[in-house]
Amino acid sequence: MDHTLPQTISLLARTPAALNALLRDLPESWTSRNEGENTWSPFEIVGHLIHAERTDWVSRTKIVLQFGEAQSFEPFDRWGQAREIQGKSLAQLLDEFARLRSENLAELRALNLQPEDLERRGQHPSLGVVTLSQLLSTWAVHDLTHLHQISRVLAHQYCEAVGPWSKYLGVLQCAGHSSAS
Amino acid sequence: MDHTLPQTISLLARTPAALNALLRDLPESWTSRNEGENTWSPFEIVGHLIHAERTDWVSRTKIVLQFGEAQSFEPFDRWGQAREIQGKSLAQLLDEFARLRSENLAELRALNLQPEDLERRGQHPSLGVVTLSQLLSTWAVHDLTHLHQISRVLAHQYCEAVGPWSKYLGVLQCAGHSSAS
């Protein structure tokens, strides 16, 4: 389907509550474990989402509107969550993510973007020319990439426990896929 | 990690609220579309979860406790959601799923299962001998399989809209995996 701003905002607005419902007060045996070396736990994934809220989506939107293709976006630091999670609890991270998302959506709405704005172009440091419409679509699919990842990381903790059912459980067949923004 | 009943219940108890936060009042353009022929929309997936609550987990638990390996489980109907979704709204399905899950967890808790009960064995119609511990682990991972699937189906709707970012978005690389219970 085509990108529309109301559809994108409707999804973006729901992610913090969905993660909150899934993860808050879940035992740490679920939330602090990952899929092995150089993989992320649900706790770290929420830290990554916070880092993206701070540095990526709305910042890049403003760069497109202000500079177009003349100024390349700052590369996104895929390990930037280290600062976000230091000394924090998962509950604090969920609160912080919800607060930042709410502020960012308020800022996005205040820009009052028109259809012609969505066609404006920016410069991605590795992908080249992108449109604002593509950037905002990516914000939503980035949420879904990490919801997909969180469900896979949680399931991984029971990959042995399910015994012979593992072959029927799609999430356990998912080897993971590169993800970045 | 090993299966424990409190861990499993903590996850099972959160799924209805997580799906509710993600899907309730989301535009139908997100919730009614699938990934193509013979695939499921988020709406149908919630119907499938309802069907499983009615026919699978607690029913099979009781069969294990009552009959052990002597009575095979009824095969699960992977298309049994047709009856569940007929004439219903997504909001009604989310309410129904939450109600059934709550009742099933109350019934599970009332069984007051002890560690030795979790080692009891049942007979799966195609997998053969399984333990109650494996069945209850599978209940939780089945939730996660479908949360994983819902995030993928939603993301699929924007697979073109994201433009060149698609190669960075893991959820768009996921081709899906068989899933059943």
XYZ file of all heavy atoms in Angstrom, chain A residues 76-162:
704
model
N 23.761 6.727 11.257
C 23.146 6.273 12.501
C 24.080 5.293 13.194
O 24.647 4.403 12.559
C 21.796 5.593 12.190
C 21.076 5.133 13.420
C 20.398 6.045 14.216
C 21.092 3.800 13.802
C 19.735 5.626 15.369
C 20.434 3.381 14.955
C 19.751 4.296 15.731
N 24.247 5.474 14.507
C 25.131 4.595 15.277
C 24.333 3.391 15.769
O 23.538 3.497 16.697
C 25.696 5.381 16.466
C 26.589 4.517 17.351
O 26.807 3.330 17.022
O 27.049 5.042 18.373
N 24.557 2.231 15.141
C 23.786 1.032 15.483
C 24.114 0.502 16.866
O 23.418 -0.378 17.376
C 24.005 -0.081 14.454
C 23.311 0.206 13.138
C 23.135 -1.056 12.332
N 22.317 -2.020 13.057
C 22.604 -3.313 13.175
N 23.676 -3.803 12.628
N 21.799 -4.125 13.855
N 25.147 1.002 17.499
C 25.459 0.571 18.858
C 25.296 1.731 19.842
O 25.816 1.708 20.955
C 26.856 -0.070 18.913
C 26.868 -1.324 18.084
C 27.184 -1.421 16.751
C 26.472 -2.636 18.489
N 27.014 -2.716 16.316
C 26.588 -3.490 17.361
C 26.028 -3.186 19.701
C 26.272 -4.859 17.410
C 25.726 -4.549 19.737
C 25.845 -5.365 18.604
N 24.553 2.728 19.432
C 24.369 3.924 20.249
C 23.534 3.721 21.495
O 23.437 4.623 22.331
N 22.937 2.533 21.633
C 22.114 2.310 22.836
C 22.941 2.145 24.098
O 22.379 2.207 25.199
C 21.180 1.106 22.665
C 21.856 -0.244 22.578
C 22.116 -0.606 21.129
O 22.231 0.268 20.273
N 22.204 -1.878 20.850
N 24.261 1.945 23.961
C 25.084 1.716 25.164
C 24.885 2.843 26.173
O 24.711 2.597 27.371
C 26.553 1.590 24.764
N 24.901 4.082 25.681
C 24.700 5.220 26.587
C 23.288 5.241 27.173
O 23.078 5.667 28.299
C 24.894 6.547 25.839
C 26.288 6.802 25.364
C 26.420 8.199 24.749
N 25.658 8.389 23.521
C 26.012 7.884 22.336
N 27.102 7.138 22.225
N 25.287 8.112 21.254
N 22.322 4.806 26.372
C 20.916 4.900 26.798
C 20.576 3.933 27.927
O 19.711 4.211 28.746
C 19.972 4.609 25.619
C 20.146 5.497 24.403
C 19.756 6.946 24.660
O 19.147 7.229 25.698
O 20.090 7.790 23.809
N 21.230 2.772 27.904
C 20.803 1.729 28.838
C 21.624 1.715 30.125
O 21.221 1.109 31.113
C 20.843 0.326 28.181
C 22.263 -0.087 27.789
C 19.937 0.287 26.950
C 22.338 -1.472 27.132
N 22.755 2.402 30.111
C 23.666 2.418 31.262
C 22.940 2.801 32.556
O 22.418 3.919 32.658
C 24.775 3.437 30.954
C 25.864 3.541 31.979
C 26.865 2.385 31.831
O 27.182 1.972 30.737
N 27.339 1.879 32.954
N 22.909 1.881 33.503
C 22.341 2.174 34.821
C 20.827 2.286 34.859
O 20.264 2.682 35.888
N 20.161 1.950 33.771
C 18.699 2.092 33.734
C 18.002 0.741 33.925
O 18.564 -0.312 33.606
C 18.266 2.650 32.369
C 18.873 3.986 31.992
C 18.030 5.137 32.491
C 18.669 6.465 32.148
N 18.746 6.707 30.703
N 16.772 0.822 34.378
C 15.920 -0.370 34.401
C 15.114 -0.408 33.109
O 14.962 0.608 32.422
C 14.967 -0.315 35.588
O 14.030 0.737 35.388
N 14.558 -1.581 32.813
C 13.701 -1.687 31.634
C 12.486 -0.765 31.771
O 12.065 -0.130 30.794
C 13.262 -3.146 31.434
C 12.315 -3.413 30.271
C 12.877 -2.921 28.940
C 12.005 -4.910 30.182
N 11.935 -0.664 32.971
C 10.773 0.218 33.173
C 11.135 1.660 32.834
O 10.347 2.381 32.192
C 10.280 0.114 34.620
N 12.334 2.082 33.233
C 12.773 3.449 32.889
C 12.910 3.623 31.388
O 12.532 4.658 30.827
C 14.113 3.762 33.579
C 13.990 3.970 35.078
C 15.352 4.115 35.752
O 16.238 3.254 35.591
N 15.538 5.200 36.487
N 13.457 2.608 30.723
C 13.614 2.705 29.262
C 12.250 2.776 28.574
O 12.063 3.546 27.621
C 14.404 1.516 28.715
C 15.868 1.373 29.132
C 16.530 0.258 28.327
C 16.648 2.664 28.968
N 11.309 1.975 29.037
C 9.966 2.003 28.414
C 9.320 3.370 28.603
O 8.693 3.903 27.675
C 9.093 0.894 29.012
C 9.496 -0.537 28.618
C 8.817 -1.561 29.529
C 9.170 -0.823 27.151
N 9.487 3.947 29.779
C 8.946 5.297 30.021
C 9.621 6.323 29.114
O 8.958 7.202 28.556
C 9.165 5.709 31.487
C 8.273 4.953 32.452
O 7.266 4.371 32.000
O 8.589 4.950 33.656
N 10.922 6.211 28.990
C 11.685 7.172 28.183
C 11.300 7.051 26.707
O 11.134 8.070 26.018
C 13.186 6.885 28.376
C 14.117 7.821 27.655
C 14.203 9.206 28.281
O 13.433 9.482 29.218
O 15.029 10.004 27.815
N 11.156 5.819 26.236
C 10.764 5.616 24.840
C 9.377 6.225 24.593
O 9.162 6.940 23.597
C 10.786 4.123 24.500
C 10.305 3.813 23.107
C 10.858 4.456 22.001
C 9.318 2.866 22.883
C 10.415 4.168 20.703
C 8.872 2.573 21.598
C 9.419 3.233 20.510
N 8.448 5.993 25.500
C 7.093 6.531 25.325
C 7.108 8.056 25.313
O 6.420 8.697 24.507
C 6.178 6.013 26.442
N 7.909 8.645 26.191
C 7.983 10.110 26.264
C 8.575 10.685 24.976
O 8.015 11.619 24.382
C 8.849 10.508 27.470
C 8.895 11.993 27.760
C 9.813 12.318 28.938
N 11.218 12.042 28.652
C 12.011 12.790 27.896
N 11.545 13.896 27.337
N 13.280 12.457 27.687
N 9.679 10.112 24.530
C 10.329 10.628 23.314
C 9.445 10.441 22.092
O 9.339 11.321 21.239
C 11.669 9.910 23.089
C 12.772 10.258 24.070
C 13.923 9.248 23.945
C 13.292 11.678 23.817
N 8.782 9.282 21.995
C 7.911 9.038 20.837
C 6.769 10.051 20.812
O 6.425 10.601 19.763
C 7.385 7.594 20.883
C 6.343 7.233 19.827
C 6.831 7.413 18.390
N 8.034 6.702 18.048
C 8.078 5.446 17.560
N 6.967 4.784 17.347
N 9.245 4.878 17.272
N 6.205 10.299 21.969
C 5.106 11.261 22.053
C 5.565 12.661 21.638
O 4.902 13.362 20.860
C 4.575 11.232 23.486
O 3.636 12.227 23.659
N 6.727 13.068 22.116
C 7.279 14.377 21.739
C 7.572 14.442 20.243
O 7.287 15.438 19.579
C 8.577 14.646 22.510
C 8.367 14.918 23.981
C 9.688 15.044 24.744
O 10.773 14.988 24.119
O 9.621 15.157 25.978
N 8.144 13.368 19.723
C 8.490 13.370 18.295
C 7.244 13.407 17.412
O 7.242 14.087 16.378
C 9.354 12.150 17.951
C 10.809 12.348 18.358
O 11.269 13.484 18.466
N 11.523 11.264 18.575
N 6.207 12.693 17.816
C 4.976 12.732 17.003
C 4.321 14.107 17.095
O 3.762 14.593 16.111
C 4.003 11.620 17.423
C 4.445 10.203 17.052
C 3.383 9.191 17.490
C 4.709 10.060 15.553
N 4.408 14.740 18.250
C 3.868 16.109 18.363
C 4.644 17.044 17.430
O 4.051 17.900 16.747
C 3.962 16.591 19.811
N 5.944 16.853 17.387
C 6.774 17.692 16.520
C 6.462 17.416 15.043
O 6.372 18.343 14.231
C 8.246 17.415 16.834
C 9.144 18.569 16.471
C 10.526 18.460 17.116
O 10.748 17.608 17.994
O 11.403 19.257 16.710
N 6.283 16.150 14.722
C 5.940 15.784 13.335
C 4.602 16.409 12.933
O 4.476 16.996 11.853
C 5.873 14.252 13.216
C 5.509 13.705 11.837
C 6.621 13.992 10.826
C 5.258 12.187 11.904
N 3.601 16.296 13.809
C 2.277 16.859 13.493
C 2.369 18.372 13.316
O 1.723 18.953 12.451
C 1.271 16.524 14.596
C 0.846 15.061 14.615
C -0.343 14.866 15.563
N -0.666 13.453 15.733
C -0.237 12.681 16.737
N 0.552 13.193 17.685
N -0.582 11.409 16.811
N 3.193 19.008 14.161
C 3.310 20.469 14.106
C 3.939 20.946 12.794
O 3.744 22.096 12.392
C 4.124 20.976 15.300
N 4.670 20.054 12.125
C 5.256 20.428 10.826
C 4.180 20.551 9.756
O 4.417 21.144 8.700
C 6.301 19.383 10.391
C 7.589 19.327 11.217
C 8.433 18.121 10.794
C 8.393 20.619 11.073
N 3.013 19.957 10.038
C 1.863 20.065 9.128
C 2.258 19.738 7.682
O 1.997 20.500 6.747
C 1.271 21.487 9.237
C -0.074 21.586 8.549
O -0.788 20.585 8.391
N -0.410 22.792 8.100
N 2.891 18.605 7.521
C 3.424 18.222 6.207
C 2.309 18.017 5.192
O 1.292 17.385 5.486
C 4.239 16.928 6.337
C 5.501 17.023 7.199
C 6.094 15.628 7.407
C 6.525 17.962 6.579
N 2.514 18.527 4.021
C 1.564 18.391 2.918
C 2.087 17.322 1.947
O 3.280 17.002 1.966
C 1.416 19.734 2.200
C 0.925 20.846 3.109
C -0.414 20.502 3.772
O -1.366 20.147 3.087
N -0.463 20.585 5.097
N 1.188 16.783 1.099
C 1.635 15.718 0.178
C 2.890 16.100 -0.607
O 3.786 15.254 -0.806
C 0.425 15.542 -0.745
C -0.746 15.903 0.120
C -0.263 17.008 1.018
N 2.997 17.353 -1.018
C 4.190 17.729 -1.799
C 5.467 17.710 -0.934
O 6.560 17.440 -1.443
C 4.004 19.095 -2.488
C 3.724 20.260 -1.567
C 2.232 20.486 -1.289
O 1.443 19.521 -1.413
O 1.874 21.626 -0.925
N 5.302 17.972 0.372
C 6.476 17.874 1.262
C 7.006 16.439 1.310
O 8.214 16.214 1.422
C 6.117 18.289 2.694
C 5.729 19.750 2.802
O 6.390 20.572 2.137
O 4.774 20.064 3.534
N 6.076 15.489 1.275
C 6.481 14.079 1.403
C 7.331 13.623 0.222
O 8.047 12.626 0.317
C 5.242 13.172 1.550
C 4.424 13.420 2.823
C 3.180 12.544 2.820
C 5.258 13.137 4.072
N 7.238 14.355 -0.874
C 8.058 14.010 -2.048
C 9.427 14.677 -2.023
O 10.254 14.456 -2.912
C 7.318 14.381 -3.336
C 6.036 13.581 -3.537
C 6.249 12.090 -3.257
O 7.190 11.506 -3.825
O 5.493 11.525 -2.429
N 9.679 15.493 -1.018
C 10.986 16.172 -0.956
C 12.099 15.168 -0.720
O 11.906 14.124 -0.099
C 10.953 17.258 0.130
C 9.965 18.366 -0.281
C 9.921 19.474 0.723
N 11.177 20.229 0.739
C 11.321 21.373 1.380
N 10.301 21.912 2.052
N 12.476 22.006 1.362
N 13.255 15.498 -1.228
C 14.349 14.540 -1.228
C 15.458 14.939 -0.281
O 15.741 16.120 -0.104
C 14.939 14.457 -2.644
C 14.010 13.823 -3.645
C 14.283 14.355 -5.036
N 13.799 13.424 -6.033
C 14.562 12.658 -6.800
N 15.873 12.733 -6.738
N 14.028 11.823 -7.658
N 16.067 13.900 0.279
C 17.241 14.093 1.120
C 18.350 13.163 0.674
O 18.170 12.363 -0.248
N 19.466 13.261 1.379
C 20.650 12.480 0.997
C 21.041 11.569 2.159
O 21.421 12.055 3.231
C 21.793 13.458 0.678
C 23.037 12.822 0.098
C 22.840 12.348 -1.343
O 22.144 12.990 -2.123
N 23.435 11.228 -1.691
N 20.923 10.270 1.937
C 21.325 9.295 2.948
C 22.809 8.970 2.735
O 23.230 8.815 1.589
C 20.462 8.033 2.805
C 20.685 7.020 3.881
N 21.772 6.168 3.901
C 19.957 6.722 4.986
C 21.688 5.380 4.970
N 20.598 5.693 5.648
N 23.586 8.852 3.829
C 25.040 8.677 3.656
C 25.425 7.420 2.873
O 26.473 7.405 2.225
C 25.581 8.633 5.096
C 24.392 8.370 5.967
C 23.211 8.945 5.246
N 24.619 6.384 2.915
C 24.986 5.206 2.107
C 23.934 4.860 1.050
O 24.282 4.291 0.011
C 25.266 3.994 3.001
O 24.174 3.745 3.844
N 22.681 5.195 1.261
C 21.633 4.814 0.301
C 21.460 5.829 -0.826
O 20.780 5.551 -1.809
C 20.280 4.658 1.020
C 20.197 3.537 2.069
C 18.865 3.605 2.815
C 20.375 2.175 1.410
N 22.015 7.011 -0.655
C 21.845 8.039 -1.691
C 20.528 8.781 -1.514
O 20.070 8.981 -0.385
N 19.924 9.155 -2.649
C 18.721 9.989 -2.579
C 17.529 9.191 -2.047
O 17.264 8.074 -2.497
C 18.387 10.558 -3.980
C 17.057 11.305 -3.936
C 19.498 11.503 -4.437
N 16.860 9.778 -1.070
C 15.650 9.184 -0.487
C 14.608 10.296 -0.370
O 14.961 11.478 -0.367
C 15.925 8.594 0.918
C 16.828 7.366 0.842
C 16.526 9.655 1.838
N 13.328 9.900 -0.284
C 12.281 10.910 -0.095
C 11.845 10.950 1.366
O 12.039 9.981 2.126
C 11.046 10.609 -0.961
O 10.444 9.413 -0.478
C 11.417 10.468 -2.434
N 11.209 12.036 1.730
C 10.679 12.151 3.094
C 9.625 11.071 3.345
O 9.550 10.503 4.435
C 10.084 13.560 3.290
C 9.593 13.899 4.687
C 10.637 13.614 5.757
C 9.169 15.370 4.742
N 8.823 10.774 2.321
C 7.845 9.696 2.432
C 8.521 8.371 2.774
O 8.047 7.615 3.641
C 7.083 9.587 1.105
O 6.226 8.486 1.126
N 9.632 8.083 2.129
C 10.365 6.839 2.424
C 10.932 6.851 3.838
O 10.919 5.834 4.541
C 11.489 6.635 1.398
C 10.959 6.287 0.011
C 11.994 6.419 -1.083
O 13.066 7.012 -0.885
N 11.692 5.876 -2.247
N 11.429 8.002 4.265
C 11.973 8.112 5.627
C 10.893 7.833 6.675
O 11.122 7.079 7.630
C 12.557 9.520 5.834
C 13.007 9.858 7.257
C 14.189 8.997 7.696
C 13.387 11.344 7.370
N 9.712 8.406 6.482
C 8.654 8.241 7.483
C 8.077 6.830 7.444
O 7.743 6.257 8.490
C 7.578 9.307 7.279
C 8.107 10.754 7.484
C 7.043 11.770 7.076
C 8.554 10.989 8.922
N 7.981 6.233 6.249
C 7.579 4.815 6.160
C 8.573 3.942 6.911
O 8.200 2.984 7.600
C 7.562 4.331 4.710
O 6.809 5.142 3.880
N 9.850 4.273 6.755
C 10.909 3.472 7.385
C 10.842 3.566 8.908
O 11.109 2.578 9.607
C 12.289 3.929 6.856
O 12.317 3.685 5.445
C 13.425 3.183 7.523
N 10.471 4.726 9.398
C 10.299 4.875 10.861
C 9.311 3.813 11.369
O 9.590 3.108 12.350
C 9.804 6.295 11.145
C 9.781 6.744 12.571
C 10.163 6.053 13.679
C 9.326 8.035 13.031
N 9.978 6.838 14.807
C 9.466 8.056 14.434
C 8.821 9.166 12.394
C 9.105 9.160 15.204
C 8.467 10.268 13.159
C 8.606 10.275 14.545
N 8.186 3.670 10.692
C 7.175 2.686 11.118
C 7.683 1.256 10.962
O 7.517 0.420 11.866
C 5.891 2.888 10.319
N 8.324 0.966 9.841
C 8.779 -0.418 9.617
C 9.964 -0.746 10.527
O 10.162 -1.906 10.903
C 9.098 -0.660 8.120
C 9.602 -2.073 7.900
C 7.841 -0.429 7.273
N 10.710 0.261 10.906
C 11.780 0.052 11.894
C 11.189 -0.399 13.237
O 11.714 -1.319 13.877
C 12.579 1.358 12.049
C 13.734 1.257 13.000
N 13.648 1.674 14.313
C 14.995 0.777 12.837
C 14.821 1.458 14.903
N 15.653 0.920 14.033
N 10.103 0.209 13.662
C 9.403 -0.290 14.861
C 9.050 -1.764 14.695
O 9.260 -2.580 15.607
C 8.076 0.465 15.069
C 8.224 1.796 15.789
O 9.354 2.272 15.964
O 7.165 2.375 16.154
N 8.498 -2.093 13.537
C 8.031 -3.466 13.309
C 9.194 -4.444 13.216
O 9.095 -5.591 13.666
C 7.170 -3.526 12.042
C 5.857 -2.737 12.156
C 5.217 -2.591 10.773
C 4.892 -3.405 13.131
N 10.311 -3.994 12.655
C 11.520 -4.831 12.637
C 11.921 -5.201 14.059
O 12.276 -6.350 14.345
C 12.685 -4.078 11.934
O 12.546 -4.247 10.525
C 14.054 -4.605 12.342
N 11.815 -4.250 14.961
C 12.270 -4.551 16.323
C 11.220 -5.272 17.156
O 11.571 -6.034 18.057
C 12.824 -3.290 16.979
C 14.112 -2.893 16.333
N 15.248 -3.671 16.418
C 14.432 -1.865 15.502
C 16.215 -3.118 15.709
N 15.744 -2.027 15.132
N 9.959 -5.117 16.824
C 8.928 -5.949 17.467
C 9.089 -7.400 17.007
O 8.979 -8.351 17.805
C 7.539 -5.403 17.098
C 6.362 -6.115 17.748
C 6.431 -6.036 19.267
C 5.038 -5.507 17.244
N 9.363 -7.565 15.746
C 9.657 -8.866 15.146
C 10.889 -9.486 15.821
O 10.886 -10.664 16.201
C 9.913 -8.582 13.652
C 10.150 -9.739 12.755
N 11.407 -10.107 12.337
C 9.304 -10.584 12.125
C 11.313 -11.131 11.487
N 10.047 -11.442 11.346
N 11.909 -8.659 16.031
C 13.138 -9.144 16.672
C 12.884 -9.515 18.135
O 13.345 -10.561 18.601
C 14.203 -8.041 16.584
C 15.552 -8.418 17.176
C 16.532 -7.244 17.157
O 16.119 -6.078 17.084
N 17.823 -7.537 17.220
N 12.150 -8.668 18.854
C 11.873 -8.954 20.267
C 11.106 -10.270 20.396
O 11.416 -11.098 21.260
C 11.094 -7.786 20.924
C 12.032 -6.592 21.144
C 10.460 -8.221 22.255
C 11.318 -5.304 21.569
N 10.119 -10.494 19.542
C 9.357 -11.748 19.646
C 10.278 -12.935 19.345
O 10.167 -13.985 19.989
C 8.113 -11.735 18.758
O 8.420 -11.386 17.444
N 11.208 -12.755 18.426
C 12.136 -13.841 18.097
C 13.123 -14.089 19.256
O 13.410 -15.244 19.597
C 12.902 -13.484 16.827
C 13.701 -14.644 16.252
C 14.552 -14.190 15.079
N 15.626 -13.330 15.527
C 15.914 -12.139 15.011
N 15.218 -11.639 14.002
N 16.902 -11.424 15.502
N 13.626 -13.013 19.867
C 14.598 -13.167 20.965
C 13.931 -13.824 22.177
O 14.514 -14.701 22.825
C 15.212 -11.798 21.351
C 16.137 -11.939 22.552
C 15.964 -11.197 20.169
N 12.704 -13.418 22.469
C 11.977 -14.055 23.573
C 11.771 -15.548 23.275
O 12.026 -16.405 24.119
C 10.622 -13.372 23.785
C 10.651 -11.935 24.327
C 9.249 -11.336 24.288
C 11.203 -11.878 25.755
N 11.304 -15.852 22.069
C 11.033 -17.246 21.708
C 12.303 -18.094 21.796
O 12.264 -19.263 22.216
C 10.447 -17.311 20.302
N 13.414 -17.495 21.413
C 14.694 -18.226 21.425
C 14.995 -18.817 22.801
O 15.621 -19.882 22.903
C 15.817 -17.275 20.991
C 17.178 -17.892 21.034
N 17.613 -18.783 20.088
C 18.188 -17.773 21.932
C 18.842 -19.174 20.391
N 19.214 -18.575 21.504
N 14.565 -18.145 23.853
C 14.866 -18.628 25.212
C 14.184 -19.973 25.494
O 14.601 -20.706 26.384
C 14.473 -17.582 26.270
C 14.971 -16.165 25.998
C 16.434 -16.071 25.572
O 17.276 -16.824 26.087
N 16.738 -15.188 24.628
N 13.126 -20.277 24.741
C 12.408 -21.549 24.938
C 12.641 -22.504 23.765
O 11.876 -23.454 23.593
C 10.908 -21.261 25.080
C 10.400 -21.143 26.513
C 11.266 -21.127 27.614
C 9.033 -21.062 26.777
C 10.781 -21.006 28.902
C 8.537 -20.953 28.069
C 9.421 -20.927 29.129
O 8.935 -20.830 30.424
N 13.701 -22.282 23.001
C 13.874 -23.120 21.796
C 14.086 -24.585 22.161
O 13.664 -25.475 21.420
C 14.974 -22.591 20.886
S 16.608 -22.571 21.613
N 14.693 -24.853 23.303
C 14.853 -26.248 23.748
C 13.607 -26.717 24.484
O 13.190 -27.870 24.360
C 16.056 -26.378 24.701
C 17.392 -25.964 24.117
C 17.890 -26.931 23.061
O 17.501 -28.113 23.096
O 18.660 -26.496 22.181
N 13.019 -25.812 25.247
C 11.919 -26.197 26.135
C 10.719 -26.751 25.377
O 9.984 -27.588 25.897
C 11.501 -24.998 26.998
N 10.501 -26.296 24.148
C 9.316 -26.739 23.394
C 9.479 -28.145 22.824
O 8.503 -28.730 22.318
C 8.949 -25.765 22.246
C 8.626 -24.387 22.787
C 10.057 -25.695 21.203
